[in-house]
Amino acid sequence: MSFVKWRSYSSSSTAVDTGVPQGSSLGPQLFSMYIARLAGLIRSFGVQYHQYADDSQLYVSISRNNQDTQLATLEQCLSKVHDWLLHNGLSPNPAKSNAVQFATGRGRRDEVESISVSGAAIKPAASVKSLGVTLDSRLSLDQHITNVCKSCYYHIRGLRHVRDSLPDDVAKTVAVSIVSTRLDYCNSLFFGMSAKNFARLQRVQNTLARVILHKRKFDHITPSLMELHWLPILQRVHFKVAILTYKTIHTKEPDYLFDLIRFYEPVRTLRSSSCGLLSRNRTRTVIASRAFKHSSVFIWNSIPADIRNCDSLYAFRRHLKTFLFNSAFAT
């Protein structure tokens, strides 16, 4: 899999002489309308893409047999996109463009040397940052977890200095807002991550709990987490994926996730027919098993039927957290 990302469109020589002030409420919507036709141009080449504000990402799947063909298609698409942007007074910024090749095992032998973006040769990097998540070429998330732990420990040290001056409820609120939010950000991507990385994040949460409750370093942490009513890191990941699956099933949005969901339909009438289960999909690789197509099925089917059939998101969240909490701290 090859991935190209560019961002921060800059004005070209035929600059747009009209617009709205920077930071205005209409700015994002008008910009999205302005570049809406760019999506159709990218799709015409059969290239997958994602767009968020001025951040555009293009994806192509390559193998040893079609590497040259797919790379040529990608570069041709990038060339046409560059021409379209120039025609409309914009241009991608090669200095802020990145490329990465996701591969494991034997796929790493066929590395791409460079990709042409706006006439500049971009060499695939070891990792790129996409919407705050650092993605390395093996999708191990090692570097991202390192960044998260470093940021969390920095804020925990600051909280420790002022902890004695804060009431217990305020300390807990501050801890959740500045540390727990970092642990939860995009944590649905952590499904299937290595046990080592989960242990690193769990140590961050344990340290935070000790600071809030004035516990010593070697005090047993489970009672502290139960007192704070915090789900451990693994259960928080399952909670996030389950919530995302519930929303996707009931709202059918976003389309690219709803298209991945298949309900279980047995060939004959069984008791499981009315349980709201999802159909399992087979996969041959570990990386593929971490995708939403597989993680959603694994987690959704492990939830009791009465929770899956909740008629509101509020009730689903409440019962799901209770179920995961009891599972994590079962005695």
Side-chain angles (χ1 to χ4, degrees):
M1 173 70 75
S2 183
F3 161 67
V4 175
K5 166 187 172 182
W6 77 79
R7 59 182 179 181
S8 297
Y9 298 109
S10 58
S11 299
S12 66
S13 56
T14 57
V16 179
D17 56 3
T18 58
V20 294
Q22 184 175 4
S24 66
S25 58
L26 286 176
Q29 183 174 359
L30 292 177
F31 180 79
S32 298
M33 295 170 59
Y34 189 75
I35 65 168
R37 295 183 60 186
L38 184 61
L41 175 63
I42 297 174
R43 284 197 300 267
S44 66
F45 288 88
V47 176
Q48 300 181 27
Y49 71 95
H50 279 103
Q51 292 178 294
Y52 182 80
D54 64 343
D55 193 352
S56 299
Q57 303 169 0
L58 274 63
Y59 308 82
V60 292
S61 177
I62 61 176
S63 64
R64 181 176 302 178
N65 298 328
N66 68 354
Q67 177 173 321
D68 294 338
T69 302
Q70 288 295 83
L71 288 179
T73 301
L74 177 61
E75 291 186 344
Q76 185 180 4
C77 176
L78 289 169
S79 177
K80 292 298 183 181
V81 168
H82 178 72
D83 294 340
W84 186 92
L85 292 172
L86 288 178
H87 181 74
N88 289 274
L90 297 172
S91 176
N93 191 340
K96 294 186 177 180
S97 299
N98 299 291
V100 64
Q101 182 179 1
F102 299 121
T104 58
R106 290 179 296 178
R108 298 182 62 84
R109 302 174 184 175
D110 306 316
E111 295 185 355
V112 178
E113 294 183 358
S114 65
I115 298 176
S116 177
V117 178
S118 300
I122 304 298
K123 294 184 178 180
S127 63
V128 296
K129 180 172 286 189
S130 177
L131 300 180
V133 178
T134 302
L135 302 173
D136 57 86
S137 59
R138 301 184 64 181
L139 293 178
S140 66
L141 294 178
D142 290 346
Q143 185 59 48
H144 178 69
I145 299 303
T146 298
N147 296 339
V148 171
C149 292
K150 182 178 179 180
S151 176
C152 289
Y153 281 128
Y154 172 82
H155 290 286
I156 289 176
R157 287 193 296 268
L159 177 60
R160 181 182 285 113
H161 291 318
V162 299
R163 174 62 186 93
D164 293 337
S165 303
L166 300 176
D168 292 344
D169 56 338
V170 175
K172 182 178 179 179
T173 301
V174 172
V176 170
S177 62
I178 67 175
V179 178
S180 293
T181 52
R182 286 175 166 79
L183 296 175
D184 292 339
Y185 180 72
C186 289
N187 63 346
S188 58
L189 300 176
F190 299 165
F191 181 85
M193 188 174 60
S194 66
K196 176 182 177 181
N197 283 333
F198 272 113
R200 295 168 67 190
L201 293 178
Q202 190 59 56
R203 284 194 293 269
V204 173
Q205 188 186 51
N206 295 347
T207 302
L208 181 63
R210 289 189 174 97
V211 171
I212 295 176
L213 299 178
H214 294 290
K215 298 296 183 179
R216 294 177 298 179
K217 181 177 181 180
F218 296 104
D219 287 345
H220 190 41
I221 195 59
T222 299
S224 299
L225 295 178
M226 295 180 65
E227 180 179 348
L228 293 169
H229 212 263
W230 286 356
L231 290 175
I233 298 298
L234 180 61
Q235 281 69 30
R236 295 171 88 92
V237 172
H238 288 192
F239 181 82
K240 179 67 74 63
V241 175
I243 293 296
L244 183 58
T245 305
Y246 181 91
K247 291 181 178 179
T248 303
I249 291 175
H250 288 79
T251 65
K252 300 182 179 180
E253 297 289 345
D255 294 337
Y256 59 86
L257 290 185
F258 183 73
D259 292 340
L260 300 177
I261 292 178
R262 296 288 184 273
F263 287 98
Y264 172 66
E265 297 179 357
V267 294
R268 61 182 184 276
T269 303
L270 301 173
R271 286 182 297 177
S272 59
S273 303
S274 59
C275 292
L277 298 174
L278 299 181
S279 178
R280 294 184 179 273
N281 303 285
R282 293 185 178 182
T283 178
R284 295 181 297 176
T285 62
V286 175
I287 287 184
S289 66
R290 295 171 55 187
F292 178 79
K293 181 179 182 180
H294 303 283
S295 63
S296 60
V297 175
F298 176 84
I299 294 176
W300 183 261
N301 291 352
S302 66
I303 301 174
D306 58 330
I307 299 179
R308 290 198 302 267
N309 296 328
C310 287
D311 56 0
S312 69
L313 178 60
Y314 173 78
F316 179 77
R317 290 173 61 96
R318 182 165 56 87
H319 292 300
L320 176 62
K321 183 175 181 180
T322 301
F323 168 71
L324 294 176
F325 188 86
N326 293 335
S327 300
F329 299 112
T331 57

